[in-house]
Amino acid sequence: MIDDSTGRRFAGKVAFVTGAARGQGRSEAVRFAEEGADLIVLDACTDFASTSYPGATEDDLAETVRLVEKVGGRIHAGTADVRDFDAVDAVLAEGAERFGGPDFVVANAGICSSALSWEIGLDQWKETIDVNLTGVFHTAKAAIPRMIEHGRGGSIVFTSSLSGLKGTPFTGHYVASKHAVTGLAKTMANELGEHRIRVNTVHPAGVESGMDMSDMGPLLDRFQHTLSPIYMNTLPYTILQPEDVAAVVAWLCSDDARYTTGAAVPVDFGNLNR
């Protein structure tokens, strides 16, 4: 373990992060390592049938490993699709055998595509729900018994979205999955309080993370006059960096947030104020 004499908040702790090959998951893994945690991470490293952008790769996951080790962290990385509970559980078991834990869980893996709600394909709907909702459930189901058993408490953060708190157009399947994740977190927060395990959700606006939604352009152009206010921000910014979200996740896992559970934390430039 990294010596806690450095003053890093997570020395001696273990973080489990899904969707860690790039974007928010990679930034979260690096942030935890910078603050002293050991990492267990996974990613599917595959393309998804319903998305217009390429999925992460094995090389992307290897780069995450390199970046974590560069800041002095230890990491166990595995390839697993969050839709496959046994695969998720196996990666976590292998990592826990090396490092113990987990103390922190970040269920970050997710996908997005666009269509008018009634034009969403059946396979498109199923893939989105399976990754974004069932994948989060699988992550929590694998981690929680281990957290209860080690008895140290801990923190779980589900990556929801601005779309988990409002009805953003053209992503009804994504919106449904992210609202569901928010409700699941609130329920688990109530159930896990006695074990000193906190469960919260983080709700970013758009993040520069490899999830390229440029295919939504024609729909935005078509409805811009009626729907543009939905996308207006209070602060004069339009895109988050993955590190911005990682900072909030790290805070939610820290003792600074030790009394925060069941919360839906927006990182949205004040969009929800509109």
Side-chain angles (χ1 to χ4, degrees):
M1 298 291 181
I2 297 174
D3 187 349
D4 63 3
S5 65
T6 62
R8 288 180 286 186
R9 292 183 290 184
F10 304 138
K13 303 293 187 179
V14 179
F16 177 42
V17 182
T18 68
R22 65 185 185 191
Q24 291 170 223
R26 174 187 286 172
S27 291
E28 288 153 359
V30 172
R31 180 62 183 259
F32 278 116
E34 288 174 338
E35 300 220 34
D38 291 322
L39 272 300
I40 304 168
V41 306
L42 61 79
D43 201 290
C45 298
T46 190
D47 292 333
F48 291 89
S50 64
T51 61
S52 61
Y53 54 88
T57 66
E58 296 277 2
D59 287 344
D60 291 327
L61 187 58
E63 177 64 7
T64 297
V65 171
R66 187 189 73 80
L67 291 170
V68 165
E69 292 177 342
K70 181 180 178 181
V71 299
R74 299 192 302 174
I75 182 169
H76 175 82
T79 302
D81 190 319
V82 292
R83 293 173 291 183
D84 182 344
F85 173 77
D86 289 340
V88 171
D89 192 58
V91 172
L92 180 55
E94 291 164 0
E97 181 69 23
R98 290 183 62 188
F99 304 136
D103 300 284
F104 313 124
V105 177
V106 184
N108 170 74
I111 60 172
C112 189
S113 58
S114 64
L116 291 166
S117 295
W118 58 94
E119 295 179 354
I120 295 168
L122 297 180
D123 290 341
Q124 182 183 18
W125 174 274
K126 185 176 187 305
E127 186 170 68
T128 301
I129 298 299
D130 285 351
V131 174
N132 292 2
L133 176 58
T134 304
V136 166
F137 168 69
H138 285 167
T139 302
K141 183 174 177 62
I144 287 169
R146 293 177 167 91
M147 298 175 78
I148 292 173
E149 182 178 5
H150 68 52
R152 296 191 297 271
S155 175
I156 299 171
V157 181
F158 294 163
T159 300
S160 183
S161 169
L162 175 64
S163 299
L165 296 173
K166 68 187 297 184
T168 53
F170 321 129
T171 57
H173 47 330
Y174 180 79
V175 170
S177 71
K178 293 302 187 179
H179 273 72
V181 161
T182 305
L184 180 62
K186 289 181 178 294
T187 298
M188 287 185 168
N190 287 328
E191 295 171 340
L192 290 168
E194 66 173 323
H195 300 288
R196 294 179 297 113
I197 298 170
R198 300 180 293 106
V199 189
N200 297 287
T201 49
V202 64
H203 297 260
V207 182
E208 192 172 320
S209 63
M211 187 182 281
D212 180 3
M213 296 302 296
S214 57
D215 65 324
M216 194 188 294
L219 287 169
L220 290 172
D221 291 341
R222 177 179 166 188
F223 292 95
Q224 63 178 321
H225 298 298
T226 55
L227 296 178
S228 58
I230 292 176
Y231 296 99
M232 292 177 64
N233 299 327
T234 299
L235 295 173
Y237 311 111
T238 58
I239 193 75
L240 292 161
Q241 295 303 310
E243 294 79 11
D244 299 321
V245 184
V248 177
V249 170
W251 173 75
L252 284 170
C253 290
S254 75
D255 285 344
D256 291 337
R258 61 189 175 276
Y259 302 133
T260 301
T261 195
V265 181
V267 192
D268 69 338
F269 310 119
N271 181 281
L272 288 166
N273 286 333
R274 294 287 186 173

